[in-house]
Amino acid sequence: MRQTLQLNLPNSVKFHVTPEQFATLATHNQDLRLERTATGELIVNPPTGWETGERNSSLTAQLYYWYEDNNYPGKVFDSSTGFTLPDGAILSPDASWVSSERWNALTDTQRDTFPHICPDFVAELRSKSDALKLIQAKMQEYLANGTRLGWLIDPKRQIVEIYRASGKPEVLSRPANVSGEDVLPGFVLKLDRIWT
């Protein structure tokens, strides 16, 4: 019988894994949210607290209802889905969407486990433990890899940062809702459940 020991790592210690090692780790540690940077650094995220979980369920549900009401355009994914980006990073946005055209162009191999595609739309919901600069850098990485629209929703500051491929993020202070624009036509995320 193996004994499980807790390992506490300082921020200065980094582990690097190959994509294959990452897939094995993810399979054997499904209670953790694991990600991998483009340089192979392993990122271990603890499970979310109830507040973040409740907020994320509102975000994902609203996106799914839009998807259902619009005859299932593309694919909608929740926070447990990892994507292999063109730069080699494997990241898991809190909510995401990929157009039918881009999804259907993938081969079976490219769709395997962590699809080799960067979502057209991503949303990240900042939890109390998330460092703002790191999550902003993650949003920039999505853009650099092909995301067309991204939202960084920060309940602590009650701010939404809107990321577009066309330029600098737009910052909205306590908006009642945000629009999916031309990426998600007709989708409007109501933020009242996220702010409260």
Side-chain angles (χ1 to χ4, degrees):
M1 176 195 264
R2 285 196 283 179
Q3 182 179 7
T4 302
L5 301 173
Q6 181 175 337
L7 177 64
N8 294 310
L9 296 173
N11 289 337
S12 59
V13 175
K14 309 289 183 202
F15 284 113
H16 287 81
V17 295
T18 65
E20 295 78 17
Q21 291 169 327
F22 178 85
T24 300
L25 282 169
T27 300
H28 289 86
N29 294 280
Q30 294 184 8
D31 292 339
L32 295 175
R33 288 192 57 202
L34 302 176
E35 294 180 306
R36 178 184 181 272
T37 68
T39 59
E41 182 184 331
L42 180 66
I43 301 168
V44 181
N45 297 304
T48 63
W50 72 268
E51 289 174 306
T52 300
E54 182 180 41
R55 288 173 175 138
N56 201 47
S57 67
S58 175
L59 168 63
T60 305
Q62 289 184 63
L63 180 61
Y64 186 82
Y65 291 141
W66 166 84
Y67 169 72
E68 191 174 60
D69 289 345
N70 286 276
N71 202 26
Y72 308 98
K75 296 282 185 186
V76 167
F77 301 95
D78 71 3
S79 62
S80 62
T81 306
F83 295 92
T84 304
L85 306 186
D87 70 2
I90 302 173
L91 301 180
S92 301
D94 288 319
S96 57
W97 175 80
V98 177
S99 69
S100 295
E101 180 183 353
R102 294 182 65 236
W103 183 260
N104 292 337
L106 296 176
T107 65
D108 289 342
T109 302
Q110 290 170 321
R111 290 183 193 170
D112 192 36
T113 311
F114 304 111
H116 290 253
I117 194 167
C118 186
D120 295 270
F121 165 78
V122 298
E124 288 286 354
L125 183 62
R126 185 183 181 200
S127 65
K128 290 179 180 177
S129 63
D130 287 332
L132 181 59
K133 288 189 187 249
L134 291 178
I135 201 165
Q136 287 171 328
K138 189 175 179 183
M139 296 301 293
Q140 292 293 345
E141 186 165 12
Y142 288 130
L143 285 181
N145 280 276
T147 290
R148 298 180 347 194
L149 178 66
W151 298 336
L152 191 170
I153 303 168
D154 187 346
K156 182 177 180 179
R157 298 182 303 148
Q158 296 193 332
I159 283 176
V160 176
E161 296 181 6
I162 300 175
Y163 291 76
R164 299 175 186 94
S166 60
K168 190 175 175 182
E170 178 183 0
V171 179
L172 304 177
S173 181
R174 198 175 166 79
N177 54 60
V178 288
S179 165
E181 302 175 5
D182 62 338
V183 178
L184 303 171
F187 178 52
V188 175
L189 177 69
K190 297 175 186 168
L191 291 158
D192 56 331
R193 300 288 301 170
I194 292 174
W195 298 149
T196 57

